Every structure is written in structure tokens, then in C-alpha cells.
Amino acid sequence: MSLVVEKFPVNPFPVNCYIAWDEESKDATIIDPGYIGEHEREFILDYIRKNGIKIKYILLTHMHFDHILSLADIREVTKAPIYGSKNDEFLLKTAKNQAAAFGFKLDFDDVNIDKYLNDKDEITLGEYKIIALTVPGHSPGSIVFYMPKAGIVFTGDVLFRQSIGRTDLPGGDFETLIEGIKKKLLTLPDDTIVYSGHGPETTISYEKKYNSFLK
């Protein structure tokens, strides 16, 4: 038995929505639910049903609207609590306006964060521990989710393959982001697999060697 990670590229941006689940317990988390439309919705919900998994947590790496387009829907379907940073809550509250500017409609009237995550907070997923590491700079409340036993980290828009998150949005700061990446991510084991919010997977060792932003 092992941890399964399934990536679902969703919406036009596109965002990587992830489902990670423990094969033994069937406990699962969904990270950054940004799906839109009935096709994307059913594809993800069908995956949950077919594998008999239970979503225990809805984890948000940050709250830019493209990563939370289906937050209300997945909360209603799974009844799972939403975990995220208080420092990004202002983005959640303005998500409708953010989305409208790009032609998307959101209904977040009844959606709130159930549990605020702080640096080094831990939750469990079957046999696996998930450690929340705060890495602000792309947004004030950006969080990465590190799973040491599985050797993986979900970085949202903090770190990409040979790139980093943009810092020109409200609350962004380039120096803060670089400092956080170097202290919180580049100190992880070199073979740690990085699952980013957009684009392909990478590893910590690869980014140390080839990411020009981190030189």
C-alpha cells in the first residue's frame, strides 16, 4: 500500500488540482479545487467514487480565484473542512470580483475557512503526515504541503519547474518569496518531488541546479 497522487489540470489557466490518498485507509485530500463545468466536475467526482476514497480535507495552497473556482461545490459534495491561511482570507472574500474580471462567476456567500493553518502545523492522511509550511510572497498566505514519508511537496504557485510564482499581485513580494523558497523548500531532501500549481512536476535537486531565479 502506498500514497496515490492524481493530477487534474482544470480550467483555462490551467490549474493543477490534486487528489492525494492513502491506499490502505482510503483517506484523501483534494488540493486547490479549481474545476469548472460539468465535464471537469464529473471527471473528478467519478474518480473519487470509483476509488472509494473519502475526502477528509480540502487544502488550499493559496486563494487566488483560479485555484478555488469549485470550492463551494466540493465542500457541499464532500462535507470536508476547508484548511488554509488566514493571511489569504481577504482573497477569498474578494474572489467573486477577481473571477468576474476574467469572465467567471463564483458563489462563495457561504464558504469560509474551517481551520487556519500556521507554519509547521501537521495533519494526517492515513499513515502519512502532511506538514504545512508557510511561504509567502506570491500571496501573503501561500502554503506548501510537505509529505516527508511520501517524499513529495505540493507548492501551489510558490515554485514551478524552472520558475517561481508571480509577485506583482496584491500582497506579493519578490524578496519574501525567494527567501521562503530557499529556507523552506531548498532545504528539503534533493529527491523530493515537487507538484506545482501549474505545469509539470519537478524535484528539489533539479530546481537547485536549473532554476535561474534561485541562483
Side-chain angles (χ1 to χ4, degrees), residues 43-44 53 63 65 67 91 109 111 113 125 128 138 140 145 164 169-170 179 201 209:
F43 191 76
I44 289 175
I53 58 181
M63 299 178 205
F65 83 94
H67 289 253
L91 292 171
D109 289 342
V111 180
I113 303 302
L125 196 67
Y128 296 86
H138 173 67
F145 296 104
I164 61 171
L169 299 171
E179 180 183 11
E201 295 80 48
K209 291 178 182 178

Side-chain angles (χ1 to χ4, degrees), residues 2-178:
S2 61
L3 184 82
V4 178
V5 177
E6 194 71 26
K7 179 172 75 173
F8 302 89
V10 294
N11 75 49
F13 286 89
V15 166
N16 292 330
C17 170
Y18 295 99
I19 293 179
W21 56 284
D22 173 39
E23 284 188 301
E24 184 170 353
S25 67
K26 300 287 187 176
D27 288 345
T29 181
I30 187 167
I31 300 171
D32 290 355
Y35 60 81
I36 61 171
E38 196 61 24
H39 175 74
E40 290 184 357
R41 180 181 189 270
E42 281 307 307
F43 191 76
I44 289 175
L45 296 185
D46 188 56
Y47 179 87
I48 293 171
R49 288 191 294 263
K50 282 184 175 179
N51 287 286
I53 58 181
K54 176 175 176 53
I55 303 295
K56 289 189 65 179
Y57 316 104
I58 301 166
L59 300 181
L60 305 180
T61 63
H62 64 298
M63 299 178 205
H64 288 146
F65 83 94
D66 53 327
H67 289 253
I68 57 174
L69 282 164
S70 51
L71 185 58
D73 182 69
I74 199 68
R75 170 64 184 277
E76 181 178 354
V77 171
T78 65
K79 311 303 181 189
I82 299 168
Y83 285 37
S85 170
K86 185 175 180 59
N87 292 335
D88 262 15
E89 199 166 36
F90 77 100
L91 292 171
L92 182 63
K93 296 186 181 303
T94 60
K96 285 183 183 179
N97 293 334
Q98 294 178 52
F102 287 86
F104 292 92
K105 183 179 180 181
L106 295 181
D107 182 8
F108 276 175
D109 289 342
D110 299 317
V111 180
N112 296 294
I113 303 302
D114 295 295
K115 181 176 176 58
Y116 296 125
L117 290 173
N118 298 304
D119 193 44
K120 298 182 180 178
D121 280 354
E122 297 181 4
I123 56 179
T124 58
L125 196 67
E127 296 183 354
Y128 296 86
K129 179 167 60 177
I130 303 174
I131 304 172
L133 300 174
T134 56
V135 188
H138 173 67
S139 72
S142 286
I143 294 173
V144 304
F145 296 104
Y146 176 47
M147 301 184 72
K149 182 177 179 180
I152 63 176
V153 62
F154 298 95
T155 59
D157 287 4
V158 167
L159 179 65
F160 306 119
R161 182 180 172 90
Q162 291 186 260
S163 190
I164 61 171
R166 60 189 294 183
T167 57
D168 60 336
L169 299 171
D173 185 83
F174 179 81
E175 288 76 17
T176 299
L177 179 60
I178 295 298

